[in-house]
Amino acid sequence: MAKPAKRITHRKYKELPIIVVENHHEVIPFIYKAIGSKYLPLEKNSLIHLDSHPDLLIPYDMDAKTVFSKYDLFDNISIENWILPAAYAGHFNKIVWLKPPWSNQIKEGLHSFLIGEETWSNGIRVTCSEPYFLSDALWAPENEMSNKREVDLEVFTLGKVVEENASDNFADLGRMIRNHVEEDGTFVLDIDLDFFSTRNPFLSLYEKASVYNRLTRLYQFPKNLSIDLDCICAGRKKQLDDLQSFCKHLAAHGNLQDLPPDLKSSPYLPGVRALLREIETHYPNTDIDWEEVNNAGCTCDDDGLPHHVTSRQDITKMIDVSLCGLLASLPYPPSMITISRSSADNYCPPEDVDFIQESVIKVLKEKYSPCKITLDYQERYYSDTLPSHDVPGPPLSEEAPAEPAHAPTKSPTQPTEPTPPSKPVSCDSSH
């Protein structure tokens, strides 16, 4: 039997790069730079991801081929959806989400699924039927996908040391990680500082009108796994589309008059009316940010966003025990380390973020030396521009082509340009 082909030998940094960004998706240009400069393989990398949030959504309306134009991709991704587009491009095929005890968006264990291009929408979809993906209508059946790739996602709880009578199982953690790291030792260690302490920033949105509680009911994911998954996704997409349209109408007109016919007959109109009435009562003569209201609503799925502001004593315990235990469990040093502060949008408490960052970096410097720390967020000033520098290494033009991935060949029957049709579904979309 022929042996599988080995991956091209990658280069190694003389100093381990530790990149600190503000918004989590800003790590992707640095990861792509490492791929282009051959410090990471082009395909089948592993990502070990510490975060209170999975960040495993996908921009719903983004054409799949966008991932093969990196600057277009950078413009389309955000904090919640930066990992799986890179997996569709082939750069990651093994993802380990290490979550704190207060995060429950995806159940623990191994989830093996396909990611590919949905043939009728040209969007990126997955075959994983976890509610996390269903609630954003990102599921699709395998027979309606092309350019498919296999992805292994392992979810594991770390940080139990802050719970009463609990501890982290580092033996199981080490075995699990060794199953997901290639023998050549190339993987990215990614740390969101909100892993240690996190807020749900939408809880205080127009708080006097109890907006978040009302949105939780209005945007609730009507999961019913006894019906067809196609119907679940179609119903959820209709729900999210209607509610977004209501918010756009309110942003433009300030009232619910002159609604288009489809919104007049929407089953969500009574709930939107009640929400508007409460907001007007408690916030008269206020310019309401309806886009932010819709953004808050879209976080209301099965469990909503985690909220756990951790004491500094417990933060220190998580770093000294859980993080250090993780580093000791890694079979090799990571190829690079990326860190997200997530404080500008209040996910990581701004009053604690510098304390957490300094403590985490201190541990990393003690473990991995020599290393080079890049504080990207200080240069960005939280702007939307791309970094003015790259991770350590030669300029991209001297090492590799500008694009780190090659687009898969489209099926001859597939249109070359994206089309916006709605998939016909033979079920009641109100489910």
Side-chain angles (χ1 to χ4, degrees):
M1 181 182 295
K3 294 183 178 180
K6 291 186 177 181
R7 299 195 295 180
I8 298 174
T9 303
H10 60 280
R11 306 168 65 208
K12 290 189 176 181
Y13 291 109
K14 293 180 179 179
E15 299 176 302
L16 177 66
I18 301 176
I19 314 297
V20 186
V21 303
E22 175 58 44
N23 302 304
H24 211 154
H25 61 290
E26 291 164 356
V27 305
I28 278 288
F30 293 103
I31 293 172
Y32 270 47
K33 173 62 179 178
I35 293 171
S37 297
K38 299 182 182 177
Y39 288 99
L40 286 172
L42 179 64
E43 294 188 326
K44 297 183 178 181
N45 291 286
S46 300
L47 176 70
I48 299 177
H49 172 63
L50 285 78
D51 202 321
S52 279
H53 313 89
D55 298 353
L56 291 168
L57 297 177
I58 302 166
Y60 186 86
D61 294 319
M62 184 182 77
D63 192 285
K65 67 175 180 287
T66 302
V67 304
F68 304 109
S69 175
K70 64 180 181 179
Y71 294 112
D72 290 337
L73 175 64
F74 300 163
D75 287 340
N76 275 273
I77 56 176
S78 188
I79 58 172
E80 76 280 4
N81 58 27
W82 60 275
I83 297 175
L84 285 187
Y88 173 72
H91 305 316
F92 295 120
N93 71 325
K94 295 181 184 293
I95 301 163
V96 176
W97 177 36
L98 298 178
K99 68 179 189 66
W102 47 83
S103 296
N104 299 295
Q105 298 95 317
I106 303 175
K107 68 183 179 185
E108 283 195 273
L110 177 63
H111 306 268
S112 296
F113 57 89
L114 297 175
I115 187 169
E117 179 177 352
E118 189 174 44
T119 52
W120 64 269
S121 71
N122 299 110
I124 301 173
R125 302 291 183 263
V126 297
T127 59
C128 184
S129 58
E130 275 290 297
Y132 176 80
F133 297 109
L134 293 175
S135 66
D136 263 54
L138 294 175
W139 175 88
E142 180 181 351
N143 62 0
E144 294 184 9
M145 292 167 58
S146 62
N147 305 325
K148 292 168 283 194
R149 295 181 183 272
E150 296 179 350
V151 176
D152 286 337
L153 164 66
E154 185 99 28
V155 180
F156 190 95
T157 300
L158 182 68
K160 293 180 180 179
V161 66
V162 299
E163 296 186 308
E164 188 174 355
N165 300 320
S167 61
D168 293 308
N169 189 330
F170 294 114
D172 284 352
L173 175 64
R175 282 192 292 268
M176 181 269 293
I177 287 177
R178 285 191 292 274
N179 288 335
H180 294 289
V181 175
E182 292 283 342
E183 291 184 2
D184 60 8
T186 57
F187 67 94
V188 177
L189 175 61
D190 174 72
I191 303 171
D192 194 317
L193 298 184
D194 74 14
F195 170 85
F196 303 97
S197 182
T198 191
R199 282 197 177 109
N200 179 346
F202 296 112
L203 291 178
S204 59
L205 182 67
Y206 304 115
E207 195 169 8
K208 290 187 290 185
S210 300
V211 163
Y212 192 77
N213 287 338
R214 293 178 179 279
L215 291 174
T216 299
R217 296 191 295 271
L218 189 58
Y219 282 76
Q220 183 180 21
F221 172 43
K223 181 179 63 175
N224 181 359
L225 296 182
S226 65
I227 64 174
D228 185 85
L229 293 181
D230 268 328
C231 296
I232 292 175
C233 285
R236 180 60 167 172
K237 186 66 170 66
K238 179 67 165 61
Q239 177 188 15
L240 295 177
D241 284 349
D242 279 8
L243 293 170
Q244 181 183 45
S245 296
F246 278 122
C247 287
K248 286 183 175 180
H249 184 92
L250 286 166
H253 305 284
N255 57 58
L256 291 172
Q257 298 176 13
D258 301 320
L259 289 170
D262 60 324
L263 292 185
K264 285 182 180 179
S265 60
S266 171
Y268 307 106
L269 178 56
V272 175
R273 279 196 177 121
L275 174 66
L276 176 61
R277 185 165 54 247
E278 285 299 310
I279 290 178
E280 288 179 336
T281 298
H282 292 90
Y283 295 91
N285 305 315
T286 300
D287 187 12
I288 303 300
D289 187 345
W290 287 103
E291 181 179 2
E292 189 71 354
V293 169
N294 182 64
N295 289 340
C298 288
T299 69
C300 301
D301 44 29
D302 270 6
D303 298 306
L305 294 174
H307 183 83
H308 187 281
V309 179
T310 312
S311 69
R312 289 204 174 185
Q313 180 180 355
D314 280 348
I315 290 170
T316 300
K317 191 182 295 185
M318 291 181 74
I319 293 171
D320 290 348
V321 178
S322 301
L323 178 60
C324 287
L326 165 66
L327 298 181
S329 301
L330 298 177
Y332 322 99
S335 302
M336 64 187 302
I337 300 174
T338 53
I339 297 175
S340 173
R341 288 167 56 87
S342 298
S343 61
D345 49 15
N346 208 29
Y347 283 100
C348 184
E351 65 271 19
D352 289 326
V353 68
D354 288 331
F355 169 75
I356 299 173
Q357 178 177 319
E358 290 167 9
S359 302
V360 167
I361 288 181
K362 180 176 182 291
V363 165
L364 295 175
K365 289 173 68 176
E366 290 173 352
K367 178 69 175 178
Y368 303 115
S369 180
C371 56
K372 181 172 182 178
I373 298 171
T374 300
L375 303 179
D376 174 69
Y377 66 95
Q378 290 188 345
E379 298 189 15
R380 284 180 180 264
Y381 299 105
Y382 314 130
S383 72
D384 291 327
T385 58
L386 291 172
S388 58
H389 60 278
D390 294 301
V391 294
L396 181 61
S397 59
E398 295 179 8
E399 293 292 328
E403 299 299 334
H406 304 287
T409 304
K410 281 186 173 288
S411 164
T413 61
Q414 196 172 348
T416 56
E417 294 297 325
T419 54
S422 296
K423 178 183 177 183
V425 178
S426 57
C427 60
D428 181 358
S429 63
S430 65
H431 284 294

